[in-house]
Structures are given as structure tokens and as C-alpha cells.
Amino acid sequence: MRVPFSYLERQFKQSENLEEKKELADTIIDDIRDFLKTSEFTLGSKVEAFEKKFAAFIGVKHAIGVGSGTDALILSLRALGIGAGDEVITCAETFIATAGAIAGVGATPVFVDVNDEFTIDENLIEGAITEKTKAIMPIFFTGNCPNMDAILDIAHKHKLHVVEDSCCGIDARIKDKKAGSMGITGTFSFHPLKNLNVWSDGGMVTTNSDDVAHKLKLLRNHGLANRDEVECFGYNSRLDALQAVVALRMIDDVTEVTNQRIANAKRLDEAFKDLSDFIEIPYRNPDYRNVFHLYMLRVKKRDELLEYCHQHEIEAKVHYPIELPYQNCCKHLGYKKGDFPKAERDRDSIITLPCHQCLTEAEINHMIETIRSFYINEHSALCGLSSTASDH
Ligand SMILES: *Cc1c(COP(=O)(O)O)cnc(C)c1O
């Protein structure tokens, strides 16, 4: 039984919800037909309508639609005046775009090690601050929440900005505060594999600052104050109006999507709980709503398990097999082995299992049984556990 990592080929034709999902696809296509008549292909009323809906969803004053999550980070830094000669502190365990955005404005990414829950270790941040530090960029990596209270306190004390890389954390929350509502800006990606996905690339910046919102609107549109006057050098990074049409519908499902991921993650957690000799399920902070954009575990014999999953058609992955500070693009930063012990431990032990909202009951059971049998049957000498998954 194949257990796909991506849900894209199924999202509009999932068996149980066939009618409802087909209806959603048809509704969007009808919306696009209406949209064609408006010919508002750059910015315009659809982008504005989605920005308004998005700001309300996150609970912020402004949302500014941009070309991608990466651009949301770049434009945030530019709007804050961060550039050459400045340093931005971020986490060693993240997608390349976080550090790429910092480098993209001419600033230097300064990496801090990860904690046990795949977010920045806030206890290491102060040690990384220098006179050049301008901002901290924590990441809602895997859909989990960084310790924003502690990070905001440190930022306040040292007069630094906090730009949230909440690109993969839509609908994540710390108590009642949503990801993207706590820093000077929050950033979101609508890449097809993110929890709010459109039919190409797209992104959003959220902020409560009128001034930052004003700058972001200039920056995404060549710095144009109006048709003839250019306020500053900017970019062409507008949220595609057609994607705004898609997103206006998809946002209605995002909480349902994240709830299903959370439920799937809980099933998997429960099923592996008694295998603690082999599988470490990261701590789940009860104050955090982790939306499980990635369901990641730390496991023994990771390479063998990965291979075994692939043999059993489970599309497990590793996010990521090379630590970011040791990538070629970071060579000039001079980091060396041993600088990030937890990121290094994760490189050898993490595995990401499919956890998406379109998984079937049978597929989840297949994953559970496969992984349990790997540890129990293959390594039965090491423990005396039952190999049936049915009692979970
Ligand atoms: C996806 C992602 C990005 C980049 O988003 P794009 O829309 O693909 O540019 C940035 N940071 C993190 C943590 C992400 O997961």
C-alpha cells in the first residue's frame, strides 16, 4: 500500500468526501471564470479581499500579499531597514529560505542551535547577539511554536526586531495567539505543500504596524507611491490575483485541515508511545497548537527505518539530511562540526512521516504496523513487545 507524502493529487477527490471536495474545486473554477471578467490581474479587489480575510484570521491589523513565503521574509527585513553589515539571528534547523532571505538582503545569518522540539533554543540567543544584530527570526518549524514569550523578552531587552518565520505555521497558536501575530511581522507561504495551499506560489506578511504595512505595500510593487512617483527601490512581488481567488476559498478549510493533521499526529504518537527505546516522540507543549506541517520523530537506526519505509511504499523523508550551517552556501560563515550538537543529532535521527489530511485509516494503520514491525520483528532481541498495531 502506497502512503504518499503529498496530498495534492487527492485533495479534490478524496473518496470519503468525494462530492464535497469536487464541489470545492468546481466552486473555485467558477470563481476564476468570474475573475477573468474583472481583468484585475495585478493586485485589485481579489487580493484586497483575501488580505482582509487573512488579517482577520490571524488577528492582526494588516496583511500584505506577496509573491512567496521567501519574499515575505525578504520584504519584512527590507521594510525594517535591515541590510548589508547587519546580523539576523535564526535557528540552525529550518528550510533554506529562512537563511536565504537574510542573505538576500545583504545581511548575515547567525545560527543558534535547535531545542528538542525543532525550534530555536531561546537560551542560546543572547550569546549570539553582537553590536551588528538587528533582528531575531524564530521559525514555526514543523508547525510547532518557538518560545515566543522568551524571544520577545530578549528582543525587547536588546532593542531587536522579531520577524516570525511562520511560513509553515499557519493556524499554529500559543494559547490564543496565532503564529504571525506576535512579532513586528509574521510571514506565510501558500506553496502547494503548505497547510493553506494555492495553485502556484504565494505569500503574505502580517503586521500590526501601520508604518511597516505602508513600506511593505511600496516594496512589493517597485517602490511605487503612485503611477509616476517612486518612493524607494523595491521588487515585483505581488500576490498573484488568481491565487488570491483560490486562497479566498481555501482559507475556509484551513482549520479543518490542521485539525485533521493534529488528530493524525496524535494517533501516531499513541501508536509509538510504548517503543520509547527506539522512538523519541518530541515533547508536546500543552500551551502550543502544533499544526504538524511535518510530523517528525527522532528514531534509532534511522537510515534502516527510512529504507524499510520506502520498501513498504511509505514516503517517509528527512528534513533535512544536511544541517543548514554546513551547507556549501554557508561555508564563508565559518561554522564547524560541533557548533550545533542538537542539529547534528537530529540529522542522524529524524524521520518525517506522512501526516496529511488526506491519509486514509488504512494508510495510517499500514504506517503504524510497518514501523512497529521494523523495531519489534527486526530487533526482537532488544525487547519483548507485541507486534500488533490493532490494539492501538
Ligand atoms: C516554505 C517555507 C519558506 C518559504 O516559502 P516559499 O513560499 O516556498 O517561498 C520559508 N520558511 C519556512 C520555514 C518554510 O517552511
Side-chain angles (χ1 to χ4, degrees):
M1 178 186 291
R2 182 173 162 257
V3 185
F5 188 78
S6 163
Y7 51 83
L8 291 177
E9 59 192 45
R10 308 188 174 171
Q11 65 174 339
F12 297 111
K13 52 176 182 191
Q14 200 192 356
S15 52
E16 293 128 85
N17 278 322
L18 192 68
E19 286 316 309
E20 194 187 317
K21 292 293 168 189
K22 263 185 67 188
E23 240 173 66
L24 174 62
D26 288 343
T27 306
I28 294 173
I29 289 164
D30 287 343
D31 289 349
I32 291 174
R33 235 177 247 117
D34 292 341
F35 163 70
L36 291 180
K37 294 175 203 150
T38 72
S39 65
E40 287 184 297
F41 295 146
T42 52
L43 298 177
S45 62
K46 292 296 174 192
V47 172
E48 275 168 36
F50 179 54
E51 288 173 337
K52 215 170 151 204
K53 199 164 180 177
F54 197 86
F57 180 79
I58 301 297
V60 290
K61 208 164 160 195
H62 304 280
I64 298 93
V66 297
S68 67
T70 307
D71 282 358
L73 292 165
I74 290 174
L75 298 192
S76 290
L77 295 171
R78 278 287 314 271
L80 296 168
I82 295 169
D86 298 333
E87 292 178 353
V88 177
I89 294 172
T90 193
C91 185
E93 207 161 281
T94 178
F95 180 51
I96 176 61
T98 314
I102 298 167
V105 300
T108 303
V110 174
F111 295 108
V112 159
D113 207 0
V114 70
N115 60 22
D116 291 335
E117 289 116 61
F118 308 123
T119 58
I120 190 167
D121 184 343
E122 65 274 11
N123 300 309
L124 300 175
I125 293 175
E126 282 197 292
I129 295 173
T130 72
E131 278 165 17
K132 295 178 179 171
T133 309
K134 289 287 172 342
I136 307 170
M137 192 182 275
I139 304 123
F140 286 73
F141 192 53
T142 72
N144 200 14
C145 303
N147 185 344
M148 289 301 293
D149 283 345
I151 293 165
L152 290 165
D153 279 350
I154 294 165
H156 183 74
K157 185 170 149 200
H158 296 272
K159 298 192 168 53
L160 303 173
H161 296 295
V162 175
V163 172
E164 295 174 61
D165 182 346
S166 40
C167 279
C168 59
I170 191 165
D171 209 23
R173 288 174 222 164
I174 298 177
K175 294 190 179 146
D176 59 347
K177 286 198 201 110
K178 280 202 178 152
S181 70
M182 294 170 269
I184 182 69
T185 67
T187 57
F188 294 90
S189 165
F190 308 130
H191 180 280
L193 281 180
K194 300 292 157 80
N195 290 357
L196 168 54
N197 62 320
V198 295
W199 295 353
S200 181
D201 280 301
M204 190 71 83
V205 187
T206 48
T207 184
N208 283 311
S209 160
D210 296 342
D211 176 49
V212 171
H214 173 71
K215 286 180 180 145
L216 287 163
K217 282 182 185 163
L218 290 173
L219 285 166
R220 74 170 169 185
N221 196 25
H222 308 290
L224 284 164
N226 53 52
R227 190 185 173 281
D228 301 319
E229 288 168 284
V230 186
E231 193 74 27
C232 58
F233 285 116
Y235 301 82
N236 176 353
S237 183
R238 302 173 291 248
L239 174 62
D240 181 353
L242 193 143
Q243 301 313 327
V245 174
V246 177
L248 270 165
R249 293 287 176 190
M250 300 296 268
I251 194 172
D252 292 336
D253 283 357
V254 78
T255 295
E256 197 186 310
V257 163
T258 50
N259 282 343
Q260 188 58 52
R261 283 175 175 264
I262 291 166
N264 291 348
K266 194 159 185 242
R267 285 260 331 261
L268 295 169
D269 277 7
E270 289 292 318
F272 300 138
K273 191 162 75 176
D274 64 333
L275 291 175
S276 58
D277 285 349
F278 310 107
I279 298 178
E280 185 195 331
I281 299 161
Y283 172 66
R284 313 298 189 194
N285 188 321
D287 286 342
Y288 295 172
R289 176 178 158 90
N290 178 344
V291 290
F292 294 97
H293 172 246
L294 301 174
Y295 179 83
M296 267 169 38
L297 298 169
R298 271 187 290 273
V299 298
K300 297 242 170 79
K301 295 189 179 285
R302 196 275 315 276
D303 292 344
E304 290 91 332
L305 178 66
L306 190 64
E307 172 76 36
Y308 192 79
C309 283
H310 292 167
Q311 280 164 9
H312 290 78
E313 296 185 285
I314 298 165
E315 292 180 359
K317 293 185 188 289
V318 175
H319 293 87
Y320 293 94
I322 302 174
E323 309 91 307
L324 189 45
Y326 307 147
Q327 290 278 8
N328 263 333
C329 61
C330 292
K331 249 191 186 136
H332 64 290
L333 300 173
Y335 292 110
K336 53 188 192 312
K337 297 280 164 200
D339 286 346
F340 305 97
K342 291 208 164 166
E344 289 171 35
R345 168 202 59 181
D346 284 357
R347 176 206 53 210
D348 296 330
S349 63
I350 48 176
I351 190 164
T352 309
L353 302 178
C355 187
H356 59 77
Q357 64 277 14
C358 298
L359 289 176
T360 65
E361 196 59 25
E363 287 166 342
I364 294 176
N365 285 334
H366 174 61
M367 268 200 296
I368 291 171
E369 271 169 51
T370 304
I371 291 164
R372 289 185 63 81
S373 75
F374 172 78
Y375 286 114
I376 294 162
N377 299 339
E378 306 269 309
H379 305 287
S380 55
L382 295 165
C383 65
L385 294 160
S386 130
S387 70
T388 53
S390 50
D391 47 40
H392 291 269

CSV table of all heavy atoms in Angstrom, one decimal, residues 68-70 73 94-95 97-98 139 165 167-168 189-191 194 201-202, ligand 1:
chain,number,residue,atom,x,y,z
A,68,SER,N,5.7,35.1,-2.5
A,68,SER,CA,6.0,33.8,-1.9
A,68,SER,C,6.3,34.0,-0.4
A,68,SER,O,6.5,35.2,0.0
A,68,SER,CB,7.3,33.2,-2.6
A,68,SER,OG,8.4,34.0,-2.3
A,69,GLY,N,6.5,32.9,0.3
A,69,GLY,CA,6.9,33.0,1.7
A,69,GLY,C,8.3,33.6,1.8
A,69,GLY,O,8.6,34.4,2.7
A,70,THR,N,9.2,33.2,0.9
A,70,THR,CA,10.6,33.7,0.9
A,70,THR,C,10.5,35.2,0.7
A,70,THR,O,11.2,36.0,1.4
A,70,THR,CB,11.4,33.1,-0.3
A,70,THR,OG1,11.3,31.7,-0.1
A,70,THR,CG2,12.8,33.5,-0.2
A,73,LEU,N,9.6,37.1,3.8
A,73,LEU,CA,10.8,37.3,4.7
A,73,LEU,C,11.7,38.4,4.2
A,73,LEU,O,12.1,39.3,5.0
A,73,LEU,CB,11.6,36.0,4.9
A,73,LEU,CG,10.8,34.8,5.6
A,73,LEU,CD1,11.6,33.5,5.3
A,73,LEU,CD2,10.8,35.1,7.1
A,94,THR,N,16.1,24.6,9.9
A,94,THR,CA,15.0,25.2,9.1
A,94,THR,C,15.2,24.9,7.7
A,94,THR,O,16.2,24.4,7.2
A,94,THR,CB,14.9,26.7,9.4
A,94,THR,OG1,13.8,27.3,8.7
A,94,THR,CG2,16.2,27.4,9.0
A,95,PHE,N,14.2,25.4,6.9
A,95,PHE,CA,14.3,25.3,5.4
A,95,PHE,C,15.2,26.4,5.0
A,95,PHE,O,15.3,27.5,5.6
A,95,PHE,CB,12.9,25.5,4.8
A,95,PHE,CG,12.9,25.5,3.3
A,95,PHE,CD1,13.5,24.5,2.6
A,95,PHE,CD2,12.2,26.5,2.6
A,95,PHE,CE1,13.4,24.4,1.2
A,95,PHE,CE2,12.2,26.5,1.2
A,95,PHE,CZ,12.8,25.5,0.5
A,97,ALA,N,15.1,28.7,2.9
A,97,ALA,CA,14.6,30.0,2.6
A,97,ALA,C,14.8,31.0,3.8
A,97,ALA,O,14.9,32.2,3.5
A,97,ALA,CB,13.1,29.9,2.3
A,98,THR,N,14.7,30.6,5.0
A,98,THR,CA,14.9,31.5,6.2
A,98,THR,C,16.2,32.2,6.1
A,98,THR,O,16.3,33.4,6.1
A,98,THR,CB,14.8,30.7,7.5
A,98,THR,OG1,13.8,29.7,7.4
A,98,THR,CG2,14.7,31.6,8.7
A,139,ILE,N,11.5,30.4,14.0
A,139,ILE,CA,10.7,29.7,12.9
A,139,ILE,C,9.7,28.7,13.6
A,139,ILE,O,10.0,28.1,14.6
A,139,ILE,CB,11.7,28.8,12.1
A,139,ILE,CG1,12.8,29.7,11.5
A,139,ILE,CG2,10.9,28.1,11.0
A,139,ILE,CD1,14.1,29.3,11.8
A,165,ASP,N,9.2,33.7,11.2
A,165,ASP,CA,9.1,32.8,10.0
A,165,ASP,C,8.0,31.8,10.4
A,165,ASP,O,8.3,30.7,10.9
A,165,ASP,CB,10.4,32.1,9.6
A,165,ASP,CG,10.3,31.3,8.4
A,165,ASP,OD1,9.1,31.0,8.0
A,165,ASP,OD2,11.3,30.9,7.8
A,167,CYS,N,6.1,30.7,8.1
A,167,CYS,CA,5.7,30.2,6.7
A,167,CYS,C,5.0,28.9,6.8
A,167,CYS,O,4.1,28.6,6.0
A,167,CYS,CB,6.9,30.1,5.9
A,167,CYS,SG,7.4,31.8,5.2
A,168,CYS,N,5.4,28.0,7.6
A,168,CYS,CA,4.8,26.6,7.7
A,168,CYS,C,4.0,26.5,8.9
A,168,CYS,O,3.7,25.4,9.3
A,168,CYS,CB,5.8,25.5,7.5
A,168,CYS,SG,7.1,25.5,8.7
A,189,SER,N,3.6,31.3,3.8
A,189,SER,CA,3.8,30.7,2.4
A,189,SER,C,2.5,30.0,2.0
A,189,SER,O,2.0,29.2,2.8
A,189,SER,CB,5.0,29.7,2.4
A,189,SER,OG,4.9,28.9,1.2
A,190,PHE,N,2.1,30.1,0.8
A,190,PHE,CA,1.0,29.4,0.3
A,190,PHE,C,1.4,28.4,-0.8
A,190,PHE,O,0.6,28.0,-1.7
A,190,PHE,CB,-0.1,30.3,-0.3
A,190,PHE,CG,-0.5,31.4,0.6
A,190,PHE,CD1,-0.5,32.7,0.2
A,190,PHE,CD2,-0.8,31.1,2.0
A,190,PHE,CE1,-0.9,33.7,1.1
A,190,PHE,CE2,-1.2,32.1,2.9
A,190,PHE,CZ,-1.2,33.4,2.4
A,191,HIS,N,2.7,28.0,-0.7
A,191,HIS,CA,3.2,26.9,-1.6
A,191,HIS,C,2.3,25.7,-1.5
A,191,HIS,O,1.7,25.5,-0.4
A,191,HIS,CB,4.6,26.6,-1.0
A,191,HIS,CG,5.3,25.5,-1.8
A,191,HIS,ND1,5.1,24.2,-1.6
A,191,HIS,CD2,6.3,25.6,-2.7
A,191,HIS,CE1,5.8,23.5,-2.4
A,191,HIS,NE2,6.6,24.3,-3.1
A,194,LYS,N,2.1,23.7,1.7
A,194,LYS,CA,1.8,24.3,3.0
A,194,LYS,C,0.4,24.0,3.3
A,194,LYS,O,-0.4,23.7,2.5
A,194,LYS,CB,2.2,25.8,3.0
A,194,LYS,CG,3.7,26.0,2.7
A,194,LYS,CD,4.6,25.5,3.8
A,194,LYS,CE,6.0,25.3,3.4
A,194,LYS,NZ,6.9,26.4,3.2
A,201,ASP,N,2.7,29.6,-6.5
A,201,ASP,CA,3.3,30.2,-5.3
A,201,ASP,C,2.5,31.4,-4.8
A,201,ASP,O,1.8,32.0,-5.6
A,201,ASP,CB,4.8,30.7,-5.7
A,201,ASP,CG,5.8,29.6,-5.7
A,201,ASP,OD1,5.9,28.9,-4.6
A,201,ASP,OD2,6.4,29.3,-6.7
A,202,GLY,N,2.7,31.7,-3.6
A,202,GLY,CA,2.1,32.9,-3.0
A,202,GLY,C,2.6,33.1,-1.6
A,202,GLY,O,3.1,32.2,-1.0
B,1,LIG,C1,8.1,27.1,3.0
B,1,LIG,C2,8.9,27.8,3.8
B,1,LIG,C3,9.5,29.1,3.4
B,1,LIG,C4,9.4,29.6,2.0
B,1,LIG,O1,8.2,29.7,1.5
B,1,LIG,P1,8.0,29.8,-0.1
B,1,LIG,O2,6.6,30.2,-0.3
B,1,LIG,O3,8.3,28.4,-0.7
B,1,LIG,O4,9.0,30.8,-0.6
B,1,LIG,C5,10.3,29.7,4.4
B,1,LIG,N1,10.5,29.3,5.6
B,1,LIG,C6,10.0,28.1,6.0
B,1,LIG,C7,10.2,27.6,7.4
B,1,LIG,C8,9.2,27.3,5.2
B,1,LIG,O5,8.7,26.2,5.6
